[in-house]
Amino acid sequence: MAPFTAAEEENLPEGLQPELMPKHVAVIMDRNGRWAKNKGLQPWDALRQMGIQVLTVFAFSTDNWIRPKIEIDFLLNLFERTLKSELETLAKNNVRISIIGDSSKLPKSLLKVINEVEEVTKNNTRLQLIVAVGYSGKYDVLQACRGIAQRVKDGEIEVEEIDERLIEQELETNCTEFPYPDLLIRTSGELRVSNFLLWQLAYTELFFAQELWPDFGRSGFIEALMSFQQRQRRFGGRKS
Ligand code: IPE
Ligand code: MG
């Protein structure tokens, strides 16, 4: 992924320091329905020019399959339409799109669009947009466990060789160079992770906002980034 261009660095909102930008931001945009009605700013447009390299958004959770069919259809449809309508702009802006999650229950038409956008944008380098659909943190850990167990069974690795790095390699976030979000943002006043990335959030800085997603906007992102830049990250070590 490419870091800042000189022009972008110059245009960074006042008070933000380019060297303190998070590499990977994850976002839980609550109330997708409302997002559909009042599209406003897409998160990738807000973050594209701020030197962020990876943006992961939670579009649809494995736990959302228990919702009424009409709502599921609406959400998946919305996702498919958004992918289609945004593809051209994303491709033009050098954004690479990766989808993570259990695709086995997704409609065929959506799978087709997913394959297409991943293929068309695979060589893009400005920003990697990871969309988690049919995803949950527990699902990801589970499928990683299965993958590792299979490798042991096949005699490829020994049990003693299983370490954090190996697990990281089996998680679906292995599609990015920066699998651990530096910052997680959740809007709409909910103070929980709701089975989003779990392993990957171990040392992520959390930012919760009261505003509903459409009202959060660019100023919300700037506030979240400001807050992030003021934090002391220790990863279990001492304050330096
Ligand atoms: C998860 O929110 C975030 C998504 C947009 C997928 P949920 O609505 O699934 O989680 P809860 O039920 O509010 O915790
Ligand atoms: Mg909810």
Side-chain angles (χ1 to χ4, degrees):
M1 295 287 123
F4 280 110
T5 62
E8 280 167 3
E9 192 164 328
E10 202 135 283
N11 287 328
L12 210 59
E14 213 182 309
L16 284 176
Q17 300 179 54
E19 67 279 7
L20 291 180
M21 275 299 168
K23 288 198 165 55
H24 181 166
V25 176
V27 184
I28 303 176
M29 302 175 293
D30 274 75
R31 314 296 161 94
N32 287 306
R34 229 167 300 178
W35 180 48
K37 283 195 204 93
N38 179 0
K39 271 219 166 159
L41 185 73
Q42 307 285 18
W44 42 94
D45 285 328
L47 292 178
R48 198 161 34 81
Q49 289 148 335
M50 295 202 200
I52 278 107
Q53 312 203 28
V54 185
L55 168 66
T56 302
V57 297
F58 202 6
F60 188 83
S61 158
T62 49
D63 302 325
N64 294 150
W65 286 114
I66 58 172
R67 292 190 185 181
K69 185 174 181 310
I70 186 158
E71 188 181 338
I72 295 173
D73 289 348
F74 170 79
L75 288 173
L76 293 179
N77 227 309
L78 168 67
F79 176 49
E80 187 174 329
R81 273 186 289 129
T82 308
L83 272 184
K84 278 190 196 151
S85 65
E86 292 289 312
L87 177 59
E88 204 179 316
T89 325
L90 289 165
K92 199 174 71 198
N93 286 306
N94 201 7
V95 177
R96 173 179 165 202
I97 305 166
S98 309
I99 314 282
I100 57 171
D102 177 6
S103 58
S104 64
K105 284 201 251 170
L106 298 179
K108 283 215 173 67
S109 59
L110 176 57
L111 285 175
K112 209 173 140 233
V113 179
I114 287 175
N115 286 335
E116 189 192 332
V117 297
E118 285 189 323
E119 183 58 30
V120 169
T121 63
K122 71 177 181 207
N123 294 321
N124 290 352
T125 55
R126 189 77 202 88
L127 171 79
Q128 183 175 12
L129 171 63
I130 301 176
V131 188
V133 57
Y135 182 88
S136 73
K138 286 189 180 179
Y139 150 80
D140 202 0
V141 171
L142 179 70
Q143 67 78 31
C145 286
R146 287 193 174 143
I148 292 169
Q150 190 64 50
R151 288 176 68 182
V152 173
K153 193 176 166 206
D154 293 345
E156 211 182 293
I157 49 167
E158 299 290 335
V159 170
E160 295 69 31
E161 287 176 80
I162 302 172
D163 59 8
E164 292 190 8
R165 180 137 289 266
L166 205 112
I167 294 172
E168 180 184 310
Q169 282 167 6
E170 290 289 330
L171 291 167
E172 293 209 356
T173 40
N174 65 7
C175 65
T176 176
E177 193 187 336
F178 304 108
Y180 300 115
D182 303 294
L183 173 65
L184 170 75
I185 299 172
R186 184 165 194 170
T187 58
S188 312
E190 309 282 20
L191 306 179
R192 55 183 181 244
V193 173
S194 299
N195 209 353
F196 192 21
L197 305 158
L198 293 176
W199 174 281
Q200 297 89 336
L201 291 183
Y203 279 102
T204 301
E205 296 292 332
L206 309 177
F207 184 89
F208 296 101
Q210 278 303 321
E211 293 102 322
L212 303 178
W213 171 251
D215 304 322
F216 185 68
R218 188 175 145 86
S219 62
F221 272 111
I222 294 172
E223 200 190 318
L225 292 168
M226 290 282 189
S227 166
F228 174 81
Q229 294 203 339
Q230 277 149 25
R231 309 219 187 149
Q232 284 260 352
R233 303 186 76 192
R234 298 188 198 123
F235 302 96
R238 279 177 165 215
K239 192 172 168 183
S240 55

